[in-house]
Amino acid sequence: PSCRGQSVFDFGGRDVAHWFPGHMAKGLKQMRATLRSVDCIIEIHDHIPFSGRNPVFQETLDVRPHVLILNKMDLTDLSNKQGILKKLEKSGVKNVLFTDCLKQQDDNIKKLVPVVVEMIESRPRFNKDEDTNYCLMLIGVPNVGKSSLINALRRTYLKKGRASRVGGEPGITKAVLTKIQVCQRPVVHLFDTPGVLPPKIESVETGMKLALCGTILDHLVGEDIIADYLLYSLNRLGKFSYVEKYDLQEPSDNIQHVLKRIAVKLKKTQRVKAITGVGNITVTIPNYTAAAYDFIRAFRKGELGRVMLD
């Protein structure tokens, strides 16, 4: 089956309401209570600079400086960087840094504290003029690299190792509002927050992009549908490196065909009992779930090329 490049994706009447666990609402409440002592908000996001950014924060962002960090840039197609910056500026976000927090040395991480200090200094700080300690709050949807950013800041400014546990699964930072020092001169503390998602996502498509980036636990959405949406996205963007990676003859829109090829290449099969008219027989079939999981993981690790989903 060849690839005709579907123009729309069929979400099969899915509803995103049940994708968001309750601890996020609790986190949001505690974050609001802490905002009084915060000088600047650092928001972090990844492959999707527009989708899934939390609208609940917009009402508080006008009050204090705000920096948007677009992380995992080593995995992202940045050919339209200027277009992204223009679109973000129109929506009111002027301070944007592109980072790769897992890199040992990232120049943009070095810029973060000076940029933030300059922003804070250029505004009245109410009762805190004499105070040169700065307090930042780190916000963002789950699994975009908040813990990696904290560790990168500590590596850069304090020459210290990990302060925050890094997990490749959303929801590792369950402890609400941990205060962590990330810089000594000046003294900068950061409130790390649990990943908070908007309870309403404007469309199932946005939910799907978030799922693809690992923001929502895979099993809540289903690996099969995430893999199908990934295939649709790669074909739509003309990113066909999966063909060579998994030994396909050509690009394809048919996820079952693609997963079958992946399963064969990776030798991922399962034995199942088939009931026939003349008794039960055991047959070996491709393990589609294992193949789907490998396909999704390859995307998240950047093995299918650089992709910007928005």
Side-chain angles (χ1 to χ4, degrees):
S2 65
C3 169
R4 293 183 302 283
Q6 296 160 259
S7 54
V8 287
F9 184 79
D10 176 13
F11 293 105
R14 273 179 164 70
D15 173 29
V16 294
H18 63 287
W19 289 354
F20 310 105
H23 76 268
M24 293 182 185
K26 180 181 160 203
L28 196 54
K29 203 170 163 188
Q30 284 178 273
M31 287 158 72
R32 280 221 180 98
T34 314
L35 272 171
R36 280 191 292 279
S37 58
V38 169
D39 294 305
C40 180
I41 286 173
I42 311 285
E43 181 186 354
I44 182 165
H45 215 33
D46 65 1
H47 288 274
I48 33 181
F50 313 111
S51 298
R53 290 185 51 227
N54 194 330
V56 176
F57 288 112
Q58 300 305 333
E59 64 213 46
T60 55
L61 297 188
D62 301 333
V63 185
R64 38 187 72 61
H66 180 69
V67 177
L68 175 63
I69 289 181
L70 293 172
N71 191 32
K72 303 188 187 176
M73 286 302 115
D74 53 317
L75 306 179
T76 311
D77 178 4
L78 285 179
S79 52
N80 186 30
K81 193 171 174 178
Q82 290 314 113
I84 291 165
L85 289 170
K86 276 199 182 98
K87 195 170 167 185
L88 285 167
E89 194 166 347
K90 271 188 189 152
S91 68
V93 182
K94 294 185 182 68
N95 299 291
V96 182
L97 286 175
F98 295 86
T99 61
D100 169 10
C101 289
L102 293 178
K103 213 160 72 174
Q104 276 304 310
Q105 291 290 325
D106 182 347
D107 290 340
N108 281 340
I109 296 284
K110 285 181 188 160
K111 287 179 195 163
L112 182 61
V113 169
V115 162
V116 165
V117 169
E118 193 180 325
M119 288 168 69
I120 296 170
E121 294 292 317
S122 65
R123 291 168 167 239
R125 290 181 74 214
F126 310 110
N127 311 323
K128 299 175 76 172
D129 278 345
E130 307 307 311
D131 189 358
T132 53
N133 289 7
Y134 302 106
C135 198
L136 321 177
M137 184 185 275
L138 184 60
I139 64 170
V141 295
N143 205 30
V144 287
K146 289 190 292 298
S147 300
S148 301
L149 173 66
I150 291 169
N151 294 334
L153 284 167
R154 284 173 62 82
R155 243 192 343 259
T156 304
Y157 292 108
L158 296 176
K159 304 288 182 264
K160 283 196 167 71
R162 289 184 168 186
S164 223
R165 185 170 161 219
V166 177
E169 213 172 67
I172 285 286
T173 314
K174 284 275 187 3
V176 178
L177 297 179
T178 320
K179 195 175 181 181
I180 297 164
Q181 186 173 351
V182 291
C183 189
Q184 183 55 39
R185 280 200 297 259
V187 175
V188 178
H189 283 91
L190 195 65
F191 280 118
D192 185 19
T193 58
V196 177
L197 279 160
K200 280 197 180 74
I201 280 188
E202 60 265 29
S203 68
V204 185
E205 177 131 28
T206 297
M208 223 44 162
K209 287 177 183 175
L210 289 165
L212 194 44
C213 292
T215 291
I216 301 163
L217 288 167
D218 291 345
H219 68 265
L220 292 179
V221 184
E223 281 90 347
D224 54 341
I225 181 91
I226 299 174
D228 198 3
Y229 184 71
L230 171 56
L231 182 63
Y232 156 78
S233 300
L234 292 172
N235 289 338
R236 181 175 59 87
L237 296 166
K239 304 276 183 181
F240 300 125
S241 59
Y242 70 88
V243 175
E244 194 180 336
K245 180 172 171 61
Y246 294 117
D247 298 343
L248 275 78
Q249 251 90 47
E250 58 187 349
S252 168
D253 285 325
N254 183 331
I255 188 63
Q256 292 300 327
H257 169 72
V258 172
L259 292 180
K260 193 174 182 180
R261 295 297 320 149
I262 294 174
V264 168
K265 181 173 169 65
L266 300 177
K267 299 184 172 56
K268 302 270 187 191
T269 56
Q270 60 195 112
R271 292 174 70 73
V272 294
K273 276 201 170 75
I275 299 165
T276 68
V278 292
N280 298 354
I281 57 164
T282 304
V283 292
T284 302
I285 61 164
N287 186 334
Y288 287 104
T289 307
Y293 181 71
D294 192 87
F295 190 36
I296 296 162
R297 206 191 52 189
F299 163 72
R300 290 177 186 157
K301 289 169 86 179
E303 291 167 10
L304 302 179
R306 289 169 170 252
V307 180
M308 177 69 84
L309 290 168
D310 268 340

